[in-house]
């Protein structure tokens, strides 16, 4: 009836599942990493910009409950130091290093200085045969060398170790840069209560503001908690029989996976296949973050098939049950993401949303591309922007 009554979950330490009854539920599980093939493969596949344990679970819970989703197509791609995935801003701002190509030419002013433009410029320079691309640190002072070593030791020690292992300080070699794989960082709501009464989202689960960063995420958590306190003043009746029926269906799914054996493919194999599909057909690194409608249609077809295969996986223990759900949730997020990419028929953010069929910005799309899962199908809804006033969705 468009209202949340709690949650169902399980322990990974013991054979126990929980049905939790609540007047309000706040989802703050972060965004989605691991949808795309990572730029560091194999053993180092979790050396990425966004936390690997943020698997899109919060998005999937919202999608399944019928909440309206927003802003998926505004993917985020970070510009990082190659291989170490260390931040580039520390170098760019700390020692005023410019982005240069292999010829030593500064190119950042050609493409722009926003995050997406910095990534786009680096991709374009490589496509033009002017790569690799670097942050120009050669020639900085020995004091600046030490400042950079200390700064990265504090937040990305692998970069400091790389300099030490190479035997060359930043002043003796430029730092090669590249984009990460895409991440999803904002999808539920343009305010903190979703279109499901009593279901709230905060942090990167909340949409409409996809580059809020840590301080913005914390602010949203506080705003959500204050809104929940206000909501708890209202009386509401609990439809116990319907809730128990839904809970038992979820518990039955747990049992099915725990008692089943893997079908044709393991969880790891299906996850790897998913990342390959998204990389090649939905604007990953392999395609320079670009896509067209034909590729997205192929991605949709292949992800749908992988979702069917994911329903055949089994889990030997509760930890594997977690991995099974991470796979299913990532695949569901992939399906919604593909629909959002298909329906924004323009290029509004280079690299973040690089549509080859529609390479220009179209003012007709100065609006939200939203979606809602209805009877197992993803329905796209376009929502107008409200300018000069407060935007609040309705629960209809």
């Amino acid at each position: 009836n468009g209202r949340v009554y709690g949650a169902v979950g399980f322990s990974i330490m013991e054979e126990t599942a929980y049905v939790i009854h609540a007047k309000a539920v706040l989802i703050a599980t972060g965004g989605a990493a691991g949808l795309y093939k990572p730029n560091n493969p194999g053993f180092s596949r979790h050396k990425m910009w966004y936390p690997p344990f943020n698997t899109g679970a919060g998005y999937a819970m919202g999608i399944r409950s019928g909440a309206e989703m927003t802003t998926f197509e505004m993917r985020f791609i970070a510009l990082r130091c190659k291989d170490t995935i260390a931040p580039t801003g520390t170098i760019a701002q700390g020692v005023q290093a410019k982005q240069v190509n292999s010829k030593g030419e500064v190119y950042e002013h050609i493409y722009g200085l926003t995050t997406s433009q910095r990534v786009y410029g680096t991709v374009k320079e490589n496509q033009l045969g002017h790569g690799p691309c670097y942050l120009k640190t050669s020639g900085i002072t020995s004091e600046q060398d030490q400042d950079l070593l200390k700064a990265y030791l504090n937040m990305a020690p692998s970069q400091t170790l790389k300099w030490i292992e190479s035997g060359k300080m930043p002043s003796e070699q430029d730092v090669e840069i590249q984009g990460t794989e895409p991440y999803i960082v904002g999808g539920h709501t343009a305010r903190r209560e979703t279109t499901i009464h009593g279901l709230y989202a905060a942090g990167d689960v909340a949409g409409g503001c996809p580059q809020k960063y840590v301080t913005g995420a914390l602010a949203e958590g506080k705003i959500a908690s204050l809104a929940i306190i206000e909501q708890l003043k209202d009386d509401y009746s609990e439809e116990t029989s319907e809730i128990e029926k839904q809970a038992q269906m979820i518990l039955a799914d747990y049992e099915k996976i725990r008692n089943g054996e893997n079908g044709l493919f393991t969880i790891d194999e299906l996850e790897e296949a998913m990342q390959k599909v998204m990389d090649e057909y939905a604007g990953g690194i392999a395609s320079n973050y670009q896509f067209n409608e034909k590729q997205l249609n192929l991605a949709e077809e292949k992800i749908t098939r992988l979702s069917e295969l994911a329903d055949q996986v089994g889990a030997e223990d509760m930890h594997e049950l977690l991995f099974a759900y991470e796979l299913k949730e990532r695949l569901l997020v992939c399906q919604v993401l593909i629909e959002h990419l298909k329906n924004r028929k323009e290029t509004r953010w280079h690299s973040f949303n690089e549509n080859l069929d529609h390479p220009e910005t179209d003012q007709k799309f100065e609006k939200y591309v939203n979606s809602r899962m209805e009877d197992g199908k993803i329905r796209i809804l376009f929502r107008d922007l409200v300018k000069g006033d407060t935007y609040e969705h309705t629960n209809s």
Side-chain angles (χ1 to χ4, degrees):
N1 62 354
R3 179 182 282 279
V4 70
Y5 289 97
V8 181
F10 58 86
S11 168
I12 62 168
M13 305 300 290
E14 52 192 28
E15 303 271 337
T16 308
Y18 300 90
V19 178
I20 303 160
H21 293 254
K23 292 182 179 181
V25 174
L26 173 62
I27 302 180
T29 57
L35 306 183
Y36 286 83
K37 184 178 178 181
N39 54 5
N40 279 324
F43 181 78
S44 298
R45 67 188 183 279
H46 284 154
K47 185 189 286 288
M48 54 174 64
W49 171 77
Y50 202 76
F53 46 81
N54 285 2
T55 62
Y59 298 147
M61 285 187 268
I63 294 164
R64 286 200 191 96
S65 66
E68 191 166 321
M69 313 303 287
T70 189
T71 329
F72 267 55
E73 74 281 6
M74 205 299 195
R75 310 175 302 168
F76 186 78
I77 301 157
L79 185 69
R80 305 308 255 187
C81 301
K82 191 175 187 301
D83 298 328
T84 62
I85 317 300
T88 53
T90 305
I91 300 173
Q93 295 174 15
V95 298
Q96 303 301 304
K98 301 293 185 184
Q99 287 179 218
V100 298
N101 60 26
S102 60
K103 299 177 181 179
E105 299 165 335
V106 177
Y107 64 83
E108 58 186 36
H109 63 280
I110 299 171
Y111 303 97
L113 294 173
T114 67
T115 304
S116 67
Q117 290 166 340
R118 285 179 178 275
V119 174
Y120 177 66
T122 303
V123 169
K124 290 298 290 183
E125 288 297 302
N126 278 291
Q127 285 180 304
L128 292 168
H130 301 160
C133 294
Y134 303 88
L135 280 171
K136 184 172 177 58
T137 56
S138 54
I140 65 173
T141 67
S142 57
E143 184 180 357
Q144 288 175 312
D145 271 340
Q146 293 304 311
D147 287 343
L148 286 179
L149 288 175
K150 290 174 185 175
Y152 281 102
L153 199 58
N154 183 46
M155 61 179 166
S158 56
Q159 184 61 37
T160 299
L161 291 172
K162 186 176 181 181
W163 279 319
I164 293 170
E165 287 168 358
S166 70
K168 290 184 178 180
M169 292 294 101
S171 60
E172 301 172 275
Q173 60 179 344
D174 295 331
V175 177
E176 190 175 349
I177 54 177
Q178 67 175 164
T180 62
E181 68 274 24
Y183 308 98
I184 313 302
V185 293
H188 252 310
T189 170
R191 69 172 192 175
R192 283 85 204 164
E193 186 180 21
T194 72
T195 52
I196 304 297
H197 287 294
L199 182 63
Y200 292 78
D204 280 349
V205 189
C209 182
Q211 290 192 56
K212 60 183 73 68
Y213 301 107
V214 174
T215 48
L218 291 171
E220 282 190 334
K222 183 170 183 178
I223 293 167
S225 65
L226 293 172
I228 289 170
I229 291 167
E230 281 299 307
Q231 183 209 311
L232 293 180
K233 296 175 182 176
D234 299 332
D235 292 327
Y236 87 117
S237 58
E238 187 174 313
E239 298 179 8
T240 309
S241 59
E242 179 59 30
I243 299 163
E244 281 304 316
K245 182 179 167 186
Q246 288 186 33
Q248 289 307 314
M249 287 171 63
I250 297 169
L251 294 173
D253 280 340
Y254 295 170
E255 293 287 348
K256 177 188 168 189
I257 298 169
R258 281 289 285 110
N259 294 327
E261 294 182 1
N262 280 321
L264 294 171
F265 304 99
T266 65
I267 294 168
D268 281 349
E269 287 169 339
L270 290 174
E271 183 177 276
E272 192 173 328
M274 171 195 70
Q275 291 175 342
K276 179 178 169 63
V277 168
M278 295 300 288
D279 185 50
E280 295 180 2
Y281 299 107
I285 295 169
S287 55
N288 295 308
Y289 310 118
Q290 301 169 331
F291 53 84
N292 59 36
E293 190 168 343
K294 177 67 174 176
Q295 289 172 318
L296 292 175
N297 287 337
L298 283 168
E300 182 179 32
E301 179 185 321
K302 292 173 186 294
I303 292 296
T304 299
R305 176 57 181 148
L306 289 172
S307 299
E308 293 167 356
L309 292 171
D311 286 335
Q312 301 173 18
V313 298
E316 289 187 4
D317 54 33
M318 300 303 277
H319 205 182
E320 279 197 4
L321 181 62
L322 171 68
F323 295 149
Y325 269 91
E326 287 180 350
L327 170 65
K328 290 168 179 282
E329 286 160 354
R330 280 188 168 117
L331 284 165
L332 182 58
V333 173
C334 285
Q335 289 176 299
V336 175
L337 167 60
I338 290 165
E339 287 301 319
H340 279 241
L341 291 173
K342 282 170 66 174
N343 281 277
R344 182 170 286 283
K345 298 182 186 297
E346 64 163 357
T347 295
R348 184 159 291 268
W349 312 276
H350 281 302
S351 294
F352 289 8
N353 160 239
E354 192 80 32
N355 191 325
L356 295 174
D357 291 330
H358 306 279
E360 303 298 328
T361 299
D362 187 340
Q363 293 312 307
K364 287 190 304 184
F365 281 89
E366 196 168 283
K367 58 182 66 180
Y368 290 103
V369 177
N370 290 5
S371 65
R372 187 182 292 163
M373 182 75 81
E374 297 177 351
D375 299 321
K377 303 290 184 184
I378 301 165
R379 178 186 167 209
I380 292 292
L381 306 104
F382 294 99
R383 302 295 192 193
D384 291 332
L385 301 184
V386 177
K387 296 185 178 180
D389 201 351
T390 302
Y391 174 81
E392 296 293 357
H393 65 67
T394 63
N395 292 85
S396 59

